[in-house]
Amino acid sequence: MPSKLTAQSRTTEVNTTADSLLLAYQKQSWEIDTYMVTIFTGLQTKSNELRTAIKCSKAESNLDKKDIVRDEKVKALNYLILGSVHHPDSEVKAAALNLKAVFAKYGLKMIHESYTIESSLIESLLEDLSAPGLQAAIALVSGCAELIAGLQTDQSDFKTAHFAWEEEKAQNGLTQCSSAIKKEVVSIINNKIVLHLKAMQQVNKELYGELAQTVAQIINDANLAVKRRKKKEETAPEAAI
């Protein structure tokens, strides 16, 4: 008889399991069992939602990576300017002080703002730093021009990733994150499909036996994969954690 899918399965693992169950179900017609049809129709809907949410999660993950990269560039520019303020060359020191005054209008705290606000502040900073009167100062502080150019590139990359994330969400009309949808899919599998097959297999083994056996195999394989993964993670060297 089918066992329940472990709740410790990852989102992608649950999505794969749901797809396998749907393929098993679709091998024959179940019009005679309207409840079975309803259950698997619901699973199909939620599985599609989960797949879409996973794609959006990847877009959001990429966005987060891009944000970290631009944050590091903002910090590097800040530290370079602060360090150059103490430069022994008076001209370099004066140039750094001018740049410090510009950066101070925004401050390092900008990297803790929301994505949208930070983007606005970074672009405003870059616009200020592009002023003709600051180009001589930028040239005097070694490495400053390169960091500014790098920040411009990183900001452009972030804007592209942010647009992709927003577009993905808008196109798919997502209202839930992948983890929330995963719980719903697991619930359908465990509390509807598994329970229904266990009961109906007792009533009509000839009709339900093959599907019940296939469902049991799919879930057992999925649970075994989770156990193997957890065991591997538990025995991994601390340095790899």
Side-chain angles (χ1 to χ4, degrees):
M1 288 189 180
S3 57
K4 291 188 175 184
L5 179 66
T6 176
Q8 294 177 316
S9 299
R10 289 175 175 168
T11 303
T12 51
E13 292 170 337
V14 170
N15 193 221
T16 299
T17 301
D19 287 345
S20 297
L21 293 177
L22 285 163
L23 287 174
Y25 161 78
Q26 292 162 358
K27 282 188 174 182
Q28 67 185 89
S29 174
W30 291 97
E31 292 181 4
I32 193 174
D33 188 339
T34 56
Y35 182 62
M36 176 83 86
V37 174
T38 300
I39 293 174
F40 275 91
T41 298
L43 179 64
Q44 180 73 75
T45 299
K46 284 300 173 182
S47 181
N48 291 341
E49 288 181 15
L50 183 58
R51 186 177 300 104
T52 299
I54 289 171
K55 290 180 182 178
C56 284
S57 294
K58 291 179 179 179
E60 185 173 8
S61 176
N62 182 53
L63 179 66
D64 187 53
K65 291 177 182 177
K66 297 292 185 182
D67 181 49
I68 291 173
V69 170
R70 70 173 181 173
D71 286 353
E72 289 301 314
K73 200 63 58 66
V74 169
K75 288 190 284 186
L77 180 60
N78 175 61
Y79 297 140
L80 174 66
I81 292 173
L82 289 179
S84 298
V85 167
H86 303 286
H87 198 283
D89 187 304
S90 60
E91 289 189 358
V92 174
K93 180 177 180 178
L97 285 170
N98 286 336
L99 295 174
K100 181 183 177 183
V102 175
F103 192 93
K105 290 164 53 181
Y106 306 93
L108 199 56
K109 63 182 180 181
M110 77 173 83
I111 65 175
H112 301 299
E113 297 286 357
S114 66
Y115 287 155
T116 303
I117 292 177
E118 183 179 352
S119 284
S120 177
L121 292 173
I122 288 176
E123 290 182 1
S124 184
L125 170 63
L126 289 170
E127 184 177 353
D128 286 354
L129 291 172
S130 68
L134 283 177
Q135 301 315 299
I138 291 172
L140 279 170
V141 178
S142 180
C144 189
E146 290 78 5
L147 282 178
I148 292 173
L151 179 57
Q152 179 69 69
T153 298
D154 294 342
Q155 173 60 17
S156 295
D157 288 346
F158 176 84
K159 286 177 66 177
T160 299
H162 190 267
F163 177 77
W165 178 52
E166 293 289 356
E167 186 177 45
E168 192 81 48
K169 290 194 301 178
Q171 287 179 349
N172 296 295
L174 283 177
T175 58
Q176 290 180 295
C177 63
S178 58
S179 59
I181 300 174
K182 184 195 91 167
K183 291 180 181 178
E184 294 185 19
V185 173
V186 172
S187 179
I188 292 174
I189 293 172
N190 291 342
N191 301 323
K192 292 184 178 180
I193 294 175
V194 170
L195 292 183
H196 186 62
L197 285 176
K198 280 183 176 180
M200 297 311 293
Q201 188 178 212
Q202 301 297 319
V203 176
N204 191 337
K205 187 174 182 179
E206 183 177 352
L207 178 61
Y208 292 89
E210 182 178 349
L211 179 59
Q213 184 176 358
T214 302
V215 168
Q217 186 63 56
I218 291 171
I219 293 176
N220 286 338
D221 287 347
N223 289 342
L224 181 59
V226 173
K227 288 181 181 179
R228 287 174 176 169
R229 171 167 54 76
K230 284 178 61 63
K231 184 176 181 181
K232 185 176 181 181
E233 291 173 352
E234 291 171 356
T235 57
E238 290 187 7
I241 297 176

